[in-house]
Amino acid sequence: MEELLEQLLEDCRHYTAQGKLANYIPELTKGNINDLGIYVVRSDGRHYQAGDYNKQFSIQSIVKPILLLLGLMDNGVDYVRSKIGVEATGKPFDAINVTDQQLLSDHLNPMVNMGAIAMCTLVKGADYQERFQRLLELTRLLAGNPDIQVDEAVYLSEKRTGNKNRALAFLLKSSGMIDDNVEQVLDCYFRACSIKVSCKDLANIGFALTNRGKMLQTDERLFPSQYARYVNAILMTCGMYDGSGDFAVKVGVPAKSGVGGGIMAVVPTRMGIGIFSPGLDDKGNSLAGIKVLERLSQRMYLSIF
Ligand code: GLN
């Protein structure tokens, strides 16, 4: 298996430089376009890795499924569903024009920015610092890594330049879909996106979703299996934004990308996968990362279809 991973990285290495580093968050332009790594955790407990699997990068949108999970753990399915919809948007992650009509909760999706910003308001906590801390703790638990921290430089960079997200948050506020102070909600969202992870962390988080809430080492249940079904279904239909249909055809597993270059893939009952390559395609998904996943899916018959 390790040989296969090495081979796939070798075959796909030339794609890394065909992508572009995200530049709308200035700090992300400091990434190395040639980085490429993968980590796989299988249901028998074995793990395999290759390339730059140890490098750290900001989680960015891959925090969205964790945020959704925490929203579900705090409020249950019915309440979350009543506040934030589940339809695939078919739009870019930061789309503002999700509807021509009045904005409704059914127009939101937890895997794109507006829905994820709204999701921050559903997390329980005395203030937004506590809400964020609870999200960070859940991320550490799912990854089995108590050392996970925020990348302060990425956080500050995104906070300074995140005016599109501000616009989305004010639109939510003006539509009556969030009540709280916009800047505090956004601060939680920006911090969430700046959590620093590795391929190994993503593979472990993905594994918790494939295993429907049960942790690999301890067999302890962190969340009900119903929540994993909910999250995985939305990952399948919208985890790669307006690239989700193409990804479903070519790879065929629930997955989530982030503009930091990470992809977390969830192969139901079989494996959690973490991939990193910061060169992005025009939809903001890791270009070489998708190529590696396509080949891995073909070789190991990973598609659920
Ligand atoms: N922090 C990024 C943003 O809000 C996350 C987007 C992404 O990873 N696609 O713009």
Side-chain angles (χ1 to χ4, degrees), residues 67 70 123-141 146 148-150 152 187-188 191-192 195:
L67 194 51
L70 187 53
V123 172
K124 298 218 160 116
D127 51 31
Y128 274 90
Q129 240 171 330
E130 188 180 320
R131 291 174 199 229
F132 172 71
Q133 200 53 40
R134 293 189 58 242
L135 178 68
L136 182 60
E137 286 306 333
L138 180 60
T139 307
R140 288 172 175 161
L141 264 179
I148 290 179
Q149 302 289 350
V150 166
E152 287 296 323
D187 191 72
C188 177
R191 268 184 210 280
I195 292 172

Side-chain angles (χ1 to χ4, degrees), residues 185-231:
V185 178
L186 282 169
D187 191 72
C188 177
Y189 174 77
F190 292 144
R191 268 184 210 280
C193 292
S194 308
I195 292 172
K196 240 185 322 190
V197 289
S198 65
C199 292
K200 180 177 179 181
D201 296 325
L202 293 185
N204 282 330
I205 298 166
F207 186 84
L209 284 166
T210 75
N211 212 27
R212 300 191 165 196
K214 271 202 181 169
M215 299 309 285
L216 187 60
Q217 290 84 0
T218 56
D219 225 28
E220 182 199 353
R221 179 168 286 289
L222 274 193
F223 53 88
S225 70
Q226 185 196 9
Y227 296 170
R229 272 206 308 278
Y230 195 97
V231 174

Side-chain angles (χ1 to χ4, degrees), residues 92-261:
F93 62 83
D94 59 349
I96 209 150
N97 58 334
V98 286
T99 169
D100 295 332
Q101 311 121 23
Q102 185 199 354
L103 188 66
L104 302 171
S105 57
D106 267 353
H107 299 135
L108 305 183
N109 183 299
M111 295 308 137
V112 295
N113 291 16
M114 192 148 46
I117 292 167
M119 190 64 70
C120 291
T121 69
L122 302 191
V123 172
K124 298 218 160 116
D127 51 31
Y128 274 90
Q129 240 171 330
E130 188 180 320
R131 291 174 199 229
F132 172 71
Q133 200 53 40
R134 293 189 58 242
L135 178 68
L136 182 60
E137 286 306 333
L138 180 60
T139 307
R140 288 172 175 161
L141 264 179
L142 292 169
N145 179 1
D147 298 326
I148 290 179
Q149 302 289 350
V150 166
D151 186 323
E152 287 296 323
V154 171
Y155 158 67
L156 291 173
S157 183
E158 186 156 358
K159 194 174 166 77
R160 200 168 49 241
T161 56
N163 290 320
K164 183 81 183 277
N165 284 320
R166 279 190 184 87
L168 293 170
F170 277 109
L171 185 58
L172 285 168
K173 180 101 173 176
S174 74
S175 309
M177 294 166 78
I178 61 175
D179 294 327
D180 296 346
N181 177 288
V182 165
E183 211 43 58
Q184 285 176 13
V185 178
L186 282 169
D187 191 72
C188 177
Y189 174 77
F190 292 144
R191 268 184 210 280
C193 292
S194 308
I195 292 172
K196 240 185 322 190
V197 289
S198 65
C199 292
K200 180 177 179 181
D201 296 325
L202 293 185
N204 282 330
I205 298 166
F207 186 84
L209 284 166
T210 75
N211 212 27
R212 300 191 165 196
K214 271 202 181 169
M215 299 309 285
L216 187 60
Q217 290 84 0
T218 56
D219 225 28
E220 182 199 353
R221 179 168 286 289
L222 274 193
F223 53 88
S225 70
Q226 185 196 9
Y227 296 170
R229 272 206 308 278
Y230 195 97
V231 174
N232 291 343
I234 305 177
L235 288 182
M236 190 74 245
T237 49
C238 203
M240 308 296 280
Y241 321 115
D242 46 339
S244 298
D246 206 38
F247 189 84
V249 169
K250 291 183 175 148
V251 183
V253 299
K256 186 76 206 80
S257 60
V259 292

